Amino acid sequence: MWDASALAEIGERSAMPRVITPHPAEAARLLSARTGETWTAARVQADRPLAARSLATVTGAVVVLKGEGTLVAEGSRLGVCVSGGPALATAGSGDCLAGAIAALLGRGLSPWAAATVGVHVHGVAGERLIVGAVALDIADAIAAVLAAPEETHPRFPRRVLG
């Protein structure tokens, strides 16, 4: 699990599974350093799917590109977060997200599953909060979501199996 300033220390591609969680400016720095192209936060934002997939390719990691509609990329897979809200735009929110993903990795989920579940749970936790919440509120809300997950989410239909 690589987040914040640790992203600057991520080595070359590794056989070890890993998840990285950059925001657009961090993604731009990593892409510029790894591709030799000039990437800016604005360029990342202009084509978030391309940036996430490119970063996954050059790092060999599952990439969680944070922001509105957080993306999770690995190889040809791309997940788009449908949960979340303005309460998550607070200092420490990304740390809560990284902690949730790390905890899921520690429980044995694959990097892809831990990243997608962690992103969604973090978003649902944010939906339960009001603007002005602090990181500790987000962490508490994540615990509550994991203790009693919602069966469906208002932004996607219930899937019927069978």
Side-chain angles (χ1 to χ4, degrees):
M1 183 69 234
W2 301 76
D3 185 45
S5 60
L7 291 167
E9 304 301 323
I10 192 167
E12 295 302 315
R13 292 178 61 94
S14 170
M16 295 294 296
R18 51 189 171 178
V19 177
I20 63 173
T21 59
H23 56 61
E26 291 167 332
R29 283 193 297 273
L30 285 168
L31 284 163
S32 292
R34 301 274 175 135
T35 65
E37 298 176 33
T38 301
W39 283 83
T40 62
R43 182 177 175 195
V44 168
Q45 290 293 81
D47 194 343
R48 290 172 53 81
L50 174 66
R53 285 184 167 129
S54 297
L55 195 50
T57 297
V58 299
T59 63
V62 173
V63 173
V64 175
L65 181 56
K66 296 183 286 192
E68 185 176 352
T70 293
L71 300 177
V72 182
E74 177 188 50
S76 63
R77 297 195 280 190
L78 183 70
V80 180
C81 183
V82 297
S83 61
L88 295 175
T90 189
S93 177
D95 297 320
C96 292
L97 172 60
I101 294 169
L104 293 166
L105 287 167
R107 295 292 308 236
L109 272 69
S110 71
W112 172 260
T116 55
V117 170
V119 164
H120 180 67
V121 166
H122 179 260
V124 172
E127 291 173 351
R128 294 182 176 185
L129 299 171
I130 60 169
V131 173
V134 297
L136 186 57
D137 298 325
I138 297 168
D140 288 343
I142 288 171
V145 171
L146 288 172
E150 298 175 4
E151 193 171 318
T152 63
H153 189 273
R155 279 179 263 193
F156 59 87
R158 183 177 193 161
R159 194 163 60 187
V160 179
L161 302 176

